[in-house]
Amino acid sequence: MLYIVLCASIHGVEGEQHSSSDRVIFLLPSASASQAASGWSATALRCFYLFGKSSSKSVSQVQAQATGAMAEQTYTVPEFRQRTAEETEEYQRVTANVGKGLAVIQEELHRMRIATKAQVDSLAIQREVKDMRYRRDDLLEEIPRMPDFLVALRPHTVWEKTPVKLFCTVQGTPRPIVQWYKGGVPVDPLSAPGKYKIENMYGVHSLIISRCVVSDTAEYSAVATNQHGTATSKATVIVKRPAGAGESCYLGLVPHLSEIHRSKLEVSFLDRFPVTFGVEGSSVTLVCTMVVVPDLPNLPPLAQWYRDDKLLTTSKLVDMSVSGSEARLTLPHLAKDDEGLYTLRIFTKDGTTEHSAYLFVSDAAPSAPGAPGAPLSVKAYDINSDYVLVAWKPPNIVNEAPVTGYFVDRCEAGSDTWVQCNDAPVKVCKYPVHGLSSGRSYYFRVRAVNSAGISRASRKSDKVTAIDAAESERLQVIKIEGKRDIVIKDDDLEGYVTIPGEPTDLHASEIFKSYVVLSWKPPSPRGRAPLWYIIEKCLAGTGAWQRISTAVKVHSPRYPVFDLQDGQKYQFRVYSVNMYGSSEASAPSEPIQKVDPDGSELPIGVPSAPGQVVATRNTKSSVFVQWEPPKQPKNLMGYYIDGRVVGSKEWFACNHKPFKHSRFVVHGLIPGETYVFRVQAVNVFGLSDESQESSPIAVEPALAMPSAPHGITMLSSDGSSITLAWKSPKHCGGSRVNAYYVDMRDADTLVWKEVNLTGFTERICTVDNLTEGRFYEFKVQAGNLAGVGLSSIPSAPMKCEAWTMEEPGPAYDLSFSEVRSHSLVVLWKAPVYTGASAVTGYFVDMAKKGSSEFITLNQEAVKHRYLQVADLEEGETYVFRIRAVNAKGIGKPSQLSDPVCARALPGTKEIVAGVDEETGDVFLSLEACEISETSKFVWSKNYKAIGDCPRVAVTTKGRTSRLTFTHPDKDDLGRYSVFVTDTDGVSGSHTLTEDALNTMLELSHAIRNPIVPLKHGLNYEVLEKGHVRFWLQAVKLSPSVSYRFIVNDKEVTSGEGHKISHDVATGIIQMTLDQFTRTNEGTYTVQVHDGKAKAQSSLVLVGDVFKAALKEAEFQRKEHLRKQGPHFSEYLYFTVTEDCTVKLACKVANVKKDTTFHWYKEDEEIVPETAPNVMSGACALSIPLFSRKDQAVYKAVLSDDRGKDTSVFDISGKVFDDIINALATIAGASASDLVLQCTPEGIRLQCYMNYYTEEMKTVWKHKESKIASSEKMRIGGTAEMAWMQICDPSDKEKGHYSIEISDGVKTHVRTFDLSGQAYTNAYEEYLRLKAAAFAEKNRGRVVGGLPDVVTIMEEKSLSLTCTVWGEPTPEVTWFKNEQEVASTEHTKIMFDGGKFASLVINKVTPDDSGKYSINVRNKYGGEFVEITVSVYRHGEQIPEPKLGQPKTATPVPPKSPAPPSKTPTPTPKSQTPAPSMKSPASTPASTPVPKSPTPPRSVKSPTPPRFMKSPTPPRK
């Protein structure tokens, strides 16, 4: 590259020469070999000028030197140099260009002269200001002042082993002394020589720390002191160690640079945030990427975010960040309050740069179907100590029921509990909340109500503190000499006031149908005592005042009144009250009346409907809507805009926050779709009526001229002409580009010439009549319906010379189709210049955008002009180029394609192959995700445009295009693609394979040759009464269907014995035979005709199949006859109740009171306790304690005068097993845990359940081994339990025991661990019981022979004789009236053979009457038996014996007691078991044993009775 260098020096006004940095340097690029034809008019003039120190030299001298610099020769060729013809041509062309460029240089120098003058003037002003400042400083130094830091210390972050300098500037009179400290300790440079250096130069104090280490991290302070005071400045120094040196390295922590104002930065946006859509409750992030020069890590640009022109600040709901590469705004919890126009404003060197886009926030899912959206913009106004006025904006109602009111909730700060403020919904968007606690903070929220339910709550308001707003007005601030402020309360000026004055200015500040808010001014004088108010009302003009009842004291000069009658006018007055008394009443208010519903008295109510709505084009996905404001705005809040797709009945909300202006851009629409719009006005009373709908409008870009074409490239040249090609405009302007206009000029001239007057329709043309060897430039304009657009930038100079290379020229017109996330198809056109031979193929190269490293995608040249590229990175941008190949080699690469991003368009759909259900045509179809008014669907086969082809037909309707095959066959196989013009690349492809085509041809044949599709072929069904129904079911039948039944080759028509019918709704065709006999055997056929469709179905009913049908028909006929009398609707079956009672049940029908019911078992009648009640419709027979003995054949007989019916149920075999399993299911579920019970014979494990029988499948296991019943291990049970007894246990029987109860499906397991302490305790109990049983067996006892009562006449002899037994032989003692009887002549006692004991009384007398007893005992115990003897005299009536007093036998304990018992006394087997021991994990408390009766006084040691029941443990 050659440059023409022009230099101009700028000298100071005092004659001193500046350095080269003060010169102005002009770099004018000359023509190079590659740009030999470029002119000065096409080249940018670059000027670099740098100014050094300020100077004051006269402007005239500067101008003179600049003029001299202009006069210097800028381009000189030595005379001795001999030029060739080409060099002479180049020299002439450059010389001409230099002449043309001098005018440009002159203009630039003129601009520089003006700029230089302004610079010099500025320097002079700065010097004068500096001199004035020095004079002022000299005056200030004479005034005594304490130290003050003009420049304070700043924190620093540095790397290890680097120095850091802390400096500050301090002023004061006299000059202060500065001392440095590190962490509060004075810094001593001598303590570490070379480490610290303290300097003081020109009032700047500095501390230099050389080669910092991590330990130098500390807080440093500079303390300045003089005789008037002390000042301190502090800063933190952080020393970081590089990565790998023992500490983490943070690249973001760099040493702090000197302050650079952000306005000195140059900022350019790259990617901007688009129009964004969000939903309530979600989050959204808006991001703008940018380029910042210079890019300093610790100095990001100054960025500000705005919503609807209101500056945003960081909070819980807004998060903002900015760095050198991007500015980010995050809204973590979206609400409709966040909807609006967001603007990012960046302060730059040239002022500000900004970008704006709208954020739409739609309603979240409603709390109930049809419920309204949440209100928004909740704010609190008119804040007082116990009163707040809450206001909000109504939600947009589209398809929901109208809002009927609102609920207002409050929540005290620090609490999560929300309290509803109003009992009934308020109908306006304001509500006065009273009864607040003074000094406390609150949040408020609102919920909307309609007929479907209550909406979600709005976003809560900002925190509001209930304080007295009038309190601040009672303060007066008095300034004394401008230095001090004195605050005085009105109380201090009022003097001592007890009773307050009356309130003033009583009026209604809010008047609505639901309430009226009264407002007044506090009294003056007020007094210092706490103040409250009393309010009275009366009907206007009556004077009958009555107090308004308030739940709490009113402390604020505001109060809402709710209970006013409609149509009445009221007056109000207020009293001020404190602890000393009440004031006089205020002046009555003016008559106040609640607003009527229509708002006729005052200008209130909803606004009138907006006027005419006009929608116009904007972009391909948005529409500009504007309307006339309502004639009656009535304090308008804004507007809601609704939209609807033409042909649909459902409206959708275009905005969810009232928009204040009468124009709005509706975004997010479907390109090419047609919409209508309406508008509603909003105020505090709600939404107005809807405006009239706008005219339908299709979503298309606004019509404009196309943008400039680009990418002009030369395809061929023959020495007298050049063939050009170019790329389409990036924006067509909403209309199809229909013409291109080409201009050209000689590269050495400035005049452009038109190449064509008639527009080119293709993007290629040949420019003729050119001069060989000359350089030419070209530019192109595109035209559409709106006009001709801007010209492209001029092409690079193109030399007109014949191409003679053997390789082909460049391919051109690179385009893309089917762009998806990971693939695309690149297409191109063949080179115009083919070279020495025909083009045989192409190579495709690809590179990422911005990279020069191309990779070749195909190893072998492809012959066709398209290539599908796969394995792309989603979101990455690529560029492509094509190289053509012929026999001589690879030609020149094509011009680079436009960058393409690997990302599919939103809503992209693929081509669908199918068959038309009506015509049977095979087709390919594509539904475009977007179209424009000028869009066309261009179909291709193997990426060659199909055009007019007799094999296919193309039809387009709306956004769908269909390619229909006229006569599809194998010639139609291939890859089909479609491209939609005037879109952002909507396209798709589909490969039609032979298998897919054959499948569609079969379906096409079925449609064109239709059959009636059948859900079910011909079948038969046996009905009641033995009728047989033949039927088939079609998928669909029309009302014009016809059919016929053929039986054994004879058509059957509807008549006697045959009923033929059909049902169009269900598609059923049927024939019913009343009598089905042996003559009906054969083949049945149905033929159906429905329009063009036909169907036939046959059923062969012969042989075994016919016999089965005939048998079923006869059975149903008999069943019908049976059911004419009393019969069983359900035959006998069994059920098992929860208490394990087996019931045989049945259901009966068609019975009457005279119908009898009998049960039989093996033909023997069973008479249940409760007679069966046939009128209930059900009868049952209970079989309690079911076991094997209940196996039998049971029969139930139902009869009356109309007939008899019998049901038989055989309980045996499988039925018996099923009943046992059903019992086992209930018993197993009710089984208790295994419990331990000790007996004299051994240790018993018991399992209690609802019912047990030995027929159940129960298995006992010991250590997982099955136990068989034996002398050692006995297995048994009762109706209430199953048990297993270990006889004479030993250590071998220790271990884990379990019982398994199986019901055939599930096994119920209960376990017990008989080991450890459990076994020890059980074994000791067993030994005790065994000893007690032995003692019981061998103790002394009376076997028999004694009467209970004896009556005898005196003088007779009485002999009481009994048999006794015991081992060893017991001792016998007789007693009379508890006194031992000795053997005498009158009373003889005998004991023969140790077996027979007798007491003989000779000649009894009345004195012998009494109570006799015998005590039989040995070492194991004994027994005490009593006998009553009555003696009567001769002639006396024999006394009646007293009945009901049986003989008493009281056991006597042994002399040596048995070992102490650990469990209750066991009982014999026939009794209920004694309390048992559970597994050690759960041992219930033993039931106490009842005491035995007290024996006679002569008995020494009474024992408990022999027989005592043991309580049964609880069952589970």
Side-chain angles (χ1 to χ4, degrees):
M1 176 68 74
L2 300 177
Y3 289 91
I4 301 172
V5 182
L6 300 181
C7 300
S9 297
I10 300 176
H11 299 271
V13 296
E14 297 176 359
E16 57 186 43
Q17 178 70 38
H18 285 235
S19 64
S20 60
S21 62
D22 298 327
R23 289 179 296 170
V24 181
I25 304 173
F26 300 86
L27 299 180
L28 307 179
S30 176
S32 63
S34 62
Q35 297 177 327
S38 63
W40 287 107
S41 59
T43 305
L45 179 63
R46 296 179 176 88
C47 299
F48 299 87
Y49 52 96
L50 302 173
F51 295 99
K53 294 184 296 181
S54 63
S55 63
S56 58
K57 191 173 182 179
S58 65
V59 177
S60 60
Q61 294 179 359
V62 175
Q63 293 176 346
Q65 293 192 14
T67 305
M70 288 179 57
E72 292 179 5
Q73 188 175 359
T74 58
Y75 191 88
T76 304
V77 179
E79 295 180 358
F80 58 84
R81 179 178 176 184
Q82 300 296 325
R83 301 186 180 90
T84 63
E86 289 184 358
E87 290 176 340
T88 302
E89 176 186 0
E90 174 72 6
Y91 170 74
Q92 293 174 350
R93 192 178 69 83
V94 172
T95 303
N97 287 336
V98 170
K100 298 172 186 177
L102 288 178
V104 178
I105 297 173
Q106 182 68 31
E107 293 177 2
E108 182 63 21
L109 287 176
H110 177 69
R111 186 190 65 80
M112 287 186 59
R113 283 196 295 269
I114 297 174
T116 303
K117 182 178 182 302
Q119 180 76 8
V120 171
D121 293 342
S122 176
L123 292 174
I125 293 172
Q126 290 179 9
R127 174 165 295 183
E128 184 176 354
V129 171
K130 187 174 181 180
D131 294 339
M132 292 178 63
R133 188 185 63 186
Y134 288 153
R135 289 195 297 271
R136 180 177 178 273
D137 291 342
D138 294 338
L139 294 175
L140 291 176
E141 287 179 357
E142 299 176 2
I143 302 174
R145 289 180 300 171
M146 65 179 293
D148 183 22
F149 284 90
L150 297 179
V151 178
L153 295 178
R154 290 183 299 157
H156 288 70
T157 301
V158 298
W159 300 119
E160 194 178 32
K161 299 180 181 179
T162 60
V164 64
K165 181 178 182 180
L166 302 176
F167 63 91
C168 60
T169 302
V170 63
Q171 69 176 1
T173 304
R175 189 182 301 275
I177 299 174
V178 175
Q179 177 66 44
W180 292 90
Y181 293 84
K182 174 186 176 183
V185 178
V187 175
D188 184 8
L190 300 178
S191 61
K195 179 69 174 179
Y196 301 103
K197 183 179 181 181
I198 297 176
E199 294 180 347
N200 177 14
M201 297 179 64
Y202 309 108
V204 178
H205 300 264
S206 59
L207 171 65
I208 302 173
I209 308 172
S210 61
R211 295 186 60 82
C212 292
V213 295
V214 176
S215 60
D216 289 325
T217 301
E219 183 184 71
Y220 292 79
S221 58
V223 179
T225 306
N226 67 6
Q227 62 188 28
H228 299 291
T230 301
T232 303
S233 177
K234 298 180 180 181
T236 302
V237 174
I238 299 175
V239 181
K240 289 293 182 180
R241 182 171 295 166
E247 285 189 7
S248 61
C249 175
Y250 297 93
L251 297 180
L253 299 176
V254 298
H256 191 81
L257 300 178
S258 60
E259 184 177 0
I260 301 178
H261 196 271
R262 294 178 174 86
S263 63
K264 295 182 179 179
L265 301 177
E266 295 183 4
V267 181
S268 300
F269 285 136
L270 292 180
D271 296 327
R272 297 169 172 84
F273 57 90
V275 174
T276 308
F277 298 87
V279 181
E280 279 186 306
S282 63
S283 64
V284 71
T285 300
L286 307 180
V287 180
C288 260
T289 59
M290 53 192 173
V291 175
V292 181
V293 179
D295 186 6
L296 304 177
N298 62 340
L299 189 70
L302 177 60
Q304 293 179 344
W305 288 89
Y306 295 82
R307 181 197 298 133
D308 296 331
D309 292 332
K310 291 184 179 179
L311 181 64
L312 298 178
T313 57
T314 301
S315 65
K316 291 182 179 179
L317 302 176
V318 179
D319 181 27
M320 295 179 285
S321 63
V322 61
S323 65
S325 60
E326 68 176 23
R328 181 182 297 266
L329 171 70
T330 300
L331 304 174
H333 304 288
L334 278 181
K336 291 186 291 186
D337 306 61
D338 297 319
E339 182 170 295
L341 182 67
Y342 283 78
T343 301
L344 170 62
R345 184 168 297 156
I346 303 287
F347 289 85
T348 67
K349 178 180 179 181
D350 299 325
T352 61
T353 182
E354 60 185 44
H355 168 67
S356 300
Y358 213 86
L359 169 63
F360 294 88
V361 182
S362 59
D363 288 299
S367 56
L376 63 154
S377 301
V378 179
K379 296 182 180 180
Y381 303 92
D382 198 11
I383 302 167
N384 285 271
S385 59
D386 60 358
Y387 166 92
V388 165
L389 181 63
V390 179
W392 59 91
K393 294 180 181 178
N396 190 5
I397 303 301
V398 183
N399 300 307
E400 300 84 3
V403 172
T404 56
Y406 301 89
F407 285 117
V408 180
D409 305 331
R410 74 168 184 262
C411 175
E412 193 168 334
S415 170
D416 294 331
T417 304
W418 288 91
V419 179
Q420 186 171 301
C421 300
N422 51 323
D423 297 330
V426 60
K427 298 183 182 297
V428 295
C429 296
K430 283 185 179 180
Y431 184 76
V433 179
H434 64 286
L436 305 178
S437 298
S438 180
R440 295 189 179 180
S441 298
Y442 296 89
Y443 296 100
F444 298 92
R445 70 181 188 187
V446 184
R447 294 169 293 149
V449 184
N450 68 359
S451 58
I454 302 177
S455 74
R456 300 169 70 252
S458 68
R459 173 182 283 177
K460 67 181 182 181
S461 69
D462 294 336
K463 185 167 65 174
V464 175
T465 303
I467 58 175
D468 188 357
E471 191 67 27
S472 61
E473 299 177 0
R474 294 174 52 80
L475 301 178
Q476 296 184 23
V477 180
I478 302 175
K479 296 182 178 294
I480 300 178
E481 295 181 358
K483 294 184 178 180
R484 303 182 185 275
D485 295 341
I486 297 178
V487 179
I488 301 177
K489 281 191 174 183
D490 286 354
D491 299 342
D492 301 325
L493 304 177
E494 291 174 350
Y496 184 72
V497 177
T498 55
I499 297 177
E502 67 274 6
T504 59
D505 191 21
L506 176 60
H507 65 282
S509 59
E510 301 280 345
I511 303 178
F512 295 105
K513 180 170 177 57
S514 303
Y515 61 87
V516 170
V517 176
L518 299 177
S519 300
W520 58 90
K521 290 183 179 180
S524 179
R526 173 174 176 169
R528 302 184 181 184
L531 187 71
W532 66 94
Y533 301 95
I534 294 176
I535 308 167
E536 292 182 344
K537 69 176 180 180
C538 75
L539 291 176
T542 63
W545 294 95
Q546 60 182 20
R547 180 174 295 185
I548 295 178
S549 176
T550 58
V552 296
K553 290 182 178 180
V554 179
H555 294 281
S556 299
R558 304 285 188 277
Y559 186 74
V561 182
F562 293 91
D563 55 348
L564 301 182
Q565 297 181 4
D566 294 336
Q568 297 289 342
K569 292 186 178 182
Y570 292 86
Q571 286 182 293
F572 300 89
R573 66 183 184 185
V574 184
Y575 295 86
S576 302
V577 185
N578 64 10
M579 60 184 293
Y580 300 106
S582 172
S583 72
E584 296 294 330
S586 68
S589 68
E590 294 294 328
I592 298 172
Q593 180 181 359
K594 284 200 318 181
V595 176
D596 62 318
D598 299 329
S600 58
E601 289 197 13
L602 297 173
I604 66 167
V606 297
S608 59
Q612 182 181 7
V613 180
V614 178
T616 54
R617 290 182 177 184
N618 189 53
T619 68
K620 68 177 183 179
S621 62
S622 65
V623 167
F624 181 73
V625 181
Q626 54 186 343
W627 56 91
E628 295 179 359
K631 295 181 179 179
Q632 299 177 358
K634 298 182 180 179
N635 298 322
L636 194 67
M637 287 183 180
Y639 301 92
Y640 281 129
I641 301 94
D642 303 331
R644 176 175 60 84
V645 177
V646 173
S648 172
K649 296 181 179 180
E650 294 293 323
W651 289 88
F652 60 89
C654 299
N655 64 320
H656 301 84
K657 179 180 177 181
F659 188 72
K660 295 182 178 180
H661 305 288
S662 60
R663 58 191 183 280
F664 187 75
V665 178
V666 181
H667 289 273
L669 304 179
I670 301 174
E673 193 62 83
T674 304
Y675 295 85
V676 294
F677 299 91
R678 69 185 185 189
V679 183
Q680 288 178 281
V682 184
N683 70 357
V684 70
F685 292 93
L687 278 64
S688 72
D689 294 335
E690 294 92 351
S691 68
Q692 293 183 355
E693 296 179 7
S694 69
S695 300
I697 183 171
V699 182
E700 303 284 353
L703 191 61
M705 291 181 293
S707 60
H710 62 287
I712 302 174
T713 184
M714 184 168 63
L715 303 180
S716 175
S717 177
D718 59 3
S720 63
S721 66
I722 294 177
T723 301
L724 304 173
W726 56 89
K727 296 179 182 178
S728 302
K730 293 184 178 180
H731 303 287
C732 66
S735 175
R736 184 175 62 86
V737 175
N738 53 19
Y740 292 96
Y741 298 92
V742 180
D743 295 340
M744 61 163 284
R745 72 178 179 185
D746 192 311
D748 294 334
T749 66
L750 299 176
V751 180
W752 290 93
K753 297 180 181 179
E754 295 178 345
V755 173
N756 59 316
L757 297 178
T758 304
F760 295 125
T761 56
E762 301 294 333
R763 286 179 286 107
I764 185 174
C765 76
T766 300
V767 182
D768 299 317
N769 301 321
L770 302 180
T771 302
E772 187 173 5
R774 301 286 293 176
F775 286 85
Y776 295 92
E777 294 178 352
F778 301 90
K779 63 181 181 181
V780 185
Q781 293 173 280
N784 63 4
L785 292 177
V788 179
L790 298 175
S791 298
S792 65
I793 61 174
S795 68
M798 300 179 185
K799 188 174 183 179
C800 181
E801 60 180 357
W803 285 11
T804 59
M805 63 273 197
E806 296 181 339
E807 296 82 6
Y812 70 101
D813 199 13
L814 275 67
S815 61
F816 302 97
S817 178
E818 304 148 49
V819 179
R820 302 296 184 262
S821 299
H822 302 286
S823 65
L824 57 81
V825 175
V826 57
L827 305 98
W828 60 91
K829 291 183 179 179
V832 173
Y833 179 79
T834 59
S837 60
V839 175
T840 57
Y842 302 90
F843 286 106
V844 180
D845 301 333
M846 179 185 75
K848 291 184 178 180
K849 181 182 178 182
S851 173
S852 59
E853 298 179 0
F854 281 85
I855 58 173
T856 302
L857 299 176
N858 51 322
Q859 300 300 323
E860 296 182 0
V862 294
K863 295 182 179 180
H864 46 73
R865 295 192 300 277
Y866 64 90
L867 181 70
Q868 183 166 8
V869 183
D871 300 326
L872 302 179
E873 298 179 20
E874 183 175 3
E876 187 61 72
T877 303
Y878 300 88
V879 293
F880 295 83
R881 70 184 184 190
I882 310 298
R883 292 176 293 149
V885 182
N886 64 5
K888 298 298 181 178
I890 301 175
K892 296 172 60 176
S894 68
Q895 189 180 39
L896 289 183
S897 69
D898 289 335
V900 59
C901 180
R903 181 180 291 116
L905 292 174
T908 295
K909 296 183 179 180
E910 301 297 340
I911 292 179
V912 177
V915 180
D916 191 286
E917 295 181 356
E918 299 293 334
T919 63
D921 292 335
V922 178
F923 66 86
L924 300 176
S925 175
L926 175 70
E927 181 182 356
C929 60
E930 64 174 65
I931 60 171
S932 65
E933 187 177 7
T934 59
S935 293
K936 291 185 178 180
F937 291 81
V938 180
W939 286 88
S940 302
K941 180 180 180 182
N942 298 328
Y943 295 99
K944 294 181 180 179
I946 293 176
D948 295 331
C949 177
R951 300 191 62 85
V952 295
V954 178
T955 57
T956 301
K957 184 177 181 181
R959 293 188 293 155
T960 303
S961 180
R962 175 182 287 191
L963 177 78
T964 304
F965 297 94
T966 53
H967 302 287
D969 55 24
K970 292 183 179 180
D971 293 337
D972 293 313
L973 301 180
R975 181 164 185 159
Y976 290 84
S977 61
V978 61
F979 181 82
V980 186
T981 63
D982 296 333
T983 63
D984 286 342
V986 178
S987 56
S989 67
H990 181 83
T991 301
L992 186 62
T993 62
E994 186 175 358
D995 291 341
L997 180 61
N998 292 336
T999 301
M1000 289 189 290
L1001 287 175
E1002 292 176 3
L1003 181 57
S1004 175
H1005 181 270
I1007 293 174
R1008 291 176 176 176
N1009 302 279
I1011 61 172
V1012 178
L1014 300 179
K1015 282 187 178 180
H1016 302 284
L1018 187 60
N1019 208 335
Y1020 79 92
E1021 176 187 8
V1022 180
L1023 308 176
E1024 289 183 339
K1025 302 181 183 181
H1027 298 173
V1028 178
R1029 170 177 171 257
F1030 293 88
W1031 63 277
L1032 62 79
Q1033 185 177 15
V1035 175
K1036 182 180 180 182
L1037 290 178
S1038 69
S1040 60
V1041 65
S1042 63
Y1043 52 87
R1044 62 177 187 160
F1045 279 88
I1046 300 174
V1047 180
N1048 294 330
D1049 299 329
K1050 293 182 179 180
E1051 183 177 356
V1052 178
T1053 59
S1054 184
E1056 186 177 355
H1058 301 80
K1059 295 180 181 178
I1060 300 175
S1061 63
H1062 75 280
D1063 184 8
V1064 174
T1066 60
I1068 292 177
I1069 301 174
Q1070 61 184 5
M1071 177 181 68
T1072 304
L1073 301 182
D1074 294 341
Q1075 296 293 330
F1076 191 72
T1077 62
R1078 294 186 181 276
T1079 60
N1080 296 114
E1081 185 175 8
T1083 301
Y1084 294 76
T1085 302
V1086 179
Q1087 295 177 348
V1088 184
H1089 295 264
D1090 193 358
K1092 297 181 180 180
K1094 300 178 181 179
Q1096 177 173 310
S1097 181
S1098 298
L1099 174 67
V1100 178
L1101 207 58
V1102 297
D1104 293 340
V1105 177
F1106 173 77
K1107 292 178 181 178
L1110 182 62
K1111 183 178 179 181
E1112 177 67 16
E1114 292 176 349
F1115 172 76
Q1116 291 294 339
R1117 191 160 42 247
K1118 291 179 181 178
E1119 277 291 289
H1120 175 70
L1121 295 175
R1122 178 180 71 86
K1123 292 179 180 179
Q1124 301 306 306
H1127 63 276
F1128 291 94
S1129 58
E1130 288 189 24
Y1131 287 105
L1132 286 175
Y1133 61 93
F1134 77 89
T1135 60
V1136 180
T1137 63
E1138 286 298 321
D1139 61 353
C1140 292
T1141 298
V1142 177
K1143 286 189 176 183
L1144 297 182
C1146 61
K1147 293 183 180 179
V1148 297
N1150 198 16
V1151 296
K1152 57 183 181 178
K1153 292 184 178 180
D1154 299 337
T1155 304
T1156 61
F1157 189 96
H1158 298 277
W1159 291 100
Y1160 295 90
K1161 178 182 179 182
E1162 298 291 352
D1163 295 329
E1164 292 185 6
E1165 184 174 0
I1166 303 173
V1167 181
E1169 294 181 359
T1170 303
N1173 181 13
V1174 295
M1175 299 306 296
S1176 66
C1179 299
L1181 176 66
S1182 297
I1183 308 177
L1185 303 178
F1186 183 87
S1187 62
R1188 195 174 300 279
K1189 62 180 176 57
D1190 295 306
Q1191 292 188 98
V1193 177
Y1194 292 80
K1195 182 168 61 174
V1197 178
L1198 186 69
S1199 63
D1200 60 17
D1201 56 356
R1202 296 171 295 168
K1204 181 175 73 172
D1205 197 9
T1206 303
S1207 178
V1208 179
F1209 194 73
D1210 185 4
I1211 298 182
S1212 62
K1214 184 178 183 304
V1215 175
F1216 178 80
D1217 294 340
D1218 291 342
I1219 296 175
I1220 292 298
N1221 287 337
L1223 289 169
T1225 299
I1226 299 175
S1230 66
S1232 68
D1233 291 336
L1234 288 178
V1235 294
L1236 184 146
Q1237 175 68 48
C1238 295
T1239 67
E1241 290 80 15
I1243 299 174
R1244 177 181 293 183
L1245 296 178
Q1246 300 173 166
C1247 181
Y1248 293 90
M1249 59 193 75
N1250 285 359
Y1251 177 66
Y1252 173 76
T1253 178
E1254 63 181 4
E1255 285 81 9
M1256 291 182 185
K1257 299 175 183 177
T1258 55
V1259 176
W1260 288 88
K1261 289 185 177 181
H1262 176 220
K1263 299 178 181 179
E1264 303 302 327
S1265 298
K1266 185 177 179 182
I1267 300 174
S1269 184
S1270 62
E1271 289 297 326
K1272 183 68 174 178
M1273 299 284 194
R1274 296 179 184 175
I1275 297 175
T1278 66
E1280 293 183 348
M1281 70 174 178
W1283 55 262
M1284 187 276 299
Q1285 181 165 294
I1286 306 169
C1287 300
D1288 297 328
S1290 63
D1291 289 347
K1292 293 181 180 180
E1293 282 70 48
K1294 290 182 179 180
H1296 187 273
Y1297 288 84
S1298 64
I1299 182 174
E1300 296 179 357
I1301 306 168
S1302 175
D1303 58 11
V1305 177
K1306 184 178 179 181
T1307 301
H1308 306 270
V1309 181
R1310 302 293 185 268
T1311 61
F1312 190 91
D1313 187 9
L1314 187 60
S1315 61
Q1317 190 63 36
Y1319 176 81
T1320 302
N1321 295 342
Y1323 187 75
E1324 291 178 357
E1325 180 67 6
Y1326 154 70
L1327 293 179
R1328 188 190 70 77
L1329 293 177
K1330 182 177 181 182
F1334 182 80
E1336 174 64 21
K1337 179 180 179 182
N1338 294 285
R1339 68 176 175 83
R1341 70 186 67 189
V1342 177
V1343 178
L1346 289 177
D1348 294 335
V1349 179
V1350 176
T1351 304
I1352 188 171
M1353 190 173 63
E1354 65 179 348
E1355 298 299 329
K1356 298 290 185 178
S1357 294
L1358 174 62
S1359 177
L1360 299 176
T1361 304
C1362 64
T1363 304
V1364 301
W1365 184 87
E1367 184 64 37
T1369 301
E1371 297 178 357
V1372 177
T1373 305
W1374 290 89
F1375 296 89
K1376 175 187 178 184
N1377 295 333
E1378 299 183 0
Q1379 299 296 323
E1380 186 174 350
V1381 178
S1383 182
T1384 61
E1385 286 296 327
H1386 180 68
T1387 304
K1388 292 183 179 179
I1389 297 174
M1390 294 177 289
F1391 185 44
D1392 297 336
K1395 189 173 184 182
F1396 302 101
S1398 47
L1399 171 66
V1400 180
I1401 305 174
N1402 296 317
K1403 296 181 179 181
V1404 297
T1405 65
D1407 295 336
D1408 293 321
S1409 297
K1411 189 175 184 179
Y1412 290 81
S1413 59
I1414 181 173
N1415 187 3
V1416 181
R1417 56 180 295 178
N1418 60 9
K1419 65 180 182 178
Y1420 294 114
E1423 192 174 58
F1424 193 87
V1425 180
E1426 295 180 344
I1427 309 100
T1428 302
V1429 176
S1430 299
V1431 180
Y1432 63 93
R1433 299 180 185 279
H1434 183 73
E1436 293 181 355
Q1437 185 178 358
I1438 300 174
E1440 292 290 336
K1442 296 181 179 180
L1443 301 177
Q1445 296 180 356
K1447 174 177 65 177
T1448 301
T1450 304
V1452 179
K1455 293 179 180 179
S1456 299
S1461 173
K1462 292 187 178 181
T1463 62
T1465 305
T1467 59
K1469 296 179 183 179
S1470 60
Q1471 302 296 322
T1472 304
S1476 54
M1477 295 175 60
K1478 280 192 175 183
S1479 175
S1482 177
T1483 305
S1486 300
T1487 305
V1489 179
K1491 295 183 179 180
S1492 61
T1494 303
R1497 283 178 292 173
S1498 60
V1499 179
K1500 295 180 180 179
S1501 300
T1503 61
R1506 285 178 292 169
F1507 302 101
M1508 179 176 61
K1509 289 187 177 180
S1510 173
T1512 303
R1515 301 173 185 168
K1516 291 188 177 180

